Amino acid sequence: MSQRRTPLAWIKRILLRVVVTLAVFWGGGIAIFSVLPVPFSAVMVERQLGEMLSGNFHYLAHSDWVSMDEMTPWMGLAVIAAEDQKFPDHWGFDVSAIEKALAHNEQNENRIRGASTLSQQTAKNLFLWDGRSWLRKGLEAGLTVGIETVWSKKRILTVYLNIAEFGDGVFGVEAAAQRYFHKPANKLTMSEAALLAAVLPNPIRFRADAPSGYVRSRQAWILRQMRQLGGEGFMRENKLY
C-alpha cells in the first residue's frame, strides 16, 4: 500500500514538472528560431498585456521580420559599437565588463550599470520578462549558453535586431526605420543607425524622433566607435553580414 504524499512532496513534484516543461519549451524555441523568423518576443507580450490591462486597446506590439541581408550593415555595427564591442569573440558573457560593473555598482548604488552582452539581451528579450532579479538573471545565463551553443553570431545579431525595443510599441529595426525615418531598414544611413542604437539603454525614456542632448552625444560617440571598429569591413571580417 503506497504512502500518502505530503504537501512538500506535491510541491516538489509540481516544481519539477514546471522546470521540465520550461526546459522543453525554451529548448524547442532555441532550436526552432535558429532557422525560422521570430513572430514575437516575451517582452513584446509583456508590453502588450500591460497596455491591455491598463485599458489601452490601440497599442500593438509587433515586429516586421527582416533578414540581415535586408538591413544596412551599419545597423549591426551600431549596436555592437554601442552595446557589446567584444560580441564576435566572447562566448555569451563579457567577464571583464561584469567585473567592472560590479565594482561600479558597489560604489554607486543609485546609478546601477549593467554588463549584458547582445547574446544575454537576446535571451532575455526573447524568452523572459523585463526587470531585475536573481531568478531572471540565472535563467538568462542558462538561455544565453543555449543560444551561443546552437546559433551563429550572425543569427544572434539578426534575432536581436528584429526584437529589440526602439520606442513605445516599436520593435525591430524595420519598424524603427519606417517609424522614424520613413524608409526600409536597408536604406538607413550610418548616422541614422547610430541614432537608433543610442536609445537602446532606455527606449521609452530616450526617443529617436525627439533626441535629447544626451542621445545626440551618445550618437556621436557611437559613430566614433563604429569608425574605430573598422566600419563595414568589421561586419564582413567577422561573418556578421
Side-chain angles (χ1 to χ4, degrees):
M1 187 173 181
S2 62
Q3 295 180 345
R4 295 180 62 185
R5 293 183 181 273
T6 64
L8 181 59
W10 278 109
I11 292 173
K12 288 181 177 179
R13 186 177 181 182
I14 292 171
L15 288 176
L16 179 60
R17 288 184 175 181
V18 169
V19 170
V20 171
T21 300
L22 289 176
V24 171
F25 174 76
W26 285 328
I30 290 174
I32 290 170
F33 296 137
S34 66
V35 292
L36 295 181
V38 177
F40 55 85
S41 69
V43 170
M44 292 167 65
V45 172
E46 181 181 357
R47 296 283 190 271
Q48 187 69 55
L49 291 176
E51 292 296 326
M52 291 176 65
L53 291 174
S54 66
N56 182 7
F57 297 100
H58 298 289
Y59 181 94
L60 179 61
H62 75 285
S63 171
D64 298 318
W65 178 272
V66 287
S67 67
M68 189 62 73
D69 294 336
E70 296 172 298
M71 306 179 200
T72 173
W74 295 127
M75 195 64 241
L77 181 62
V79 297
I80 290 173
E83 300 286 306
D84 185 6
Q85 295 190 15
K86 296 181 181 178
F87 175 69
D89 303 314
H90 63 60
W91 46 278
F93 308 93
D94 187 341
V95 177
S96 62
I98 293 172
E99 291 174 345
K100 290 178 182 178
L102 290 173
H104 173 272
N105 296 341
E106 286 180 359
Q107 300 177 2
N108 303 271
E109 295 182 0
N110 295 324
R111 298 182 63 185
I112 301 299
R113 177 187 297 174
S116 293
T117 62
L118 291 178
S119 305
Q120 288 175 272
Q121 292 179 48
T122 301
K124 186 267 291 183
N125 290 342
L126 183 56
F127 293 115
L128 301 173
W129 60 93
D130 214 352
R132 296 176 181 273
S133 71
W134 287 110
L135 173 61
R136 200 216 72 191
K137 293 299 291 185
L139 293 172
E140 177 188 294
L143 288 165
T144 298
V145 172
I147 285 173
E148 282 277 346
T149 301
V150 178
W151 297 1
S152 66
K153 289 288 187 177
K154 181 179 179 180
R155 183 62 181 182
I156 294 172
L157 187 61
T158 301
V159 173
Y160 174 84
L161 288 170
N162 274 285
I163 64 175
E165 187 174 19
F166 288 98
D168 189 21
V170 182
F171 292 88
V173 62
E174 180 67 20
Q178 295 288 354
R179 171 73 67 85
Y180 302 126
F181 304 111
H182 311 293
K183 61 173 70 172
N186 64 353
K187 298 297 184 182
L188 290 171
T189 66
M190 185 178 183
S191 179
E192 290 166 345
L195 179 58
L196 290 179
V199 306
L200 286 174
N202 192 331
I204 303 302
R205 177 184 175 187
F206 304 132
R207 296 178 56 182
D209 56 346
S212 63
Y214 169 78
V215 171
R216 285 298 187 188
S217 65
R218 182 168 167 78
Q219 177 193 23
W221 178 83
I222 292 170
L223 284 168
R224 291 194 297 271
Q225 297 301 306
M226 291 168 72
R227 295 188 182 98
Q228 289 179 15
L229 285 172
E232 287 188 54
F234 173 88
M235 298 293 289
R236 300 193 186 280
E237 288 170 9
N238 289 286
K239 300 179 180 179
L240 297 171
Y241 188 77

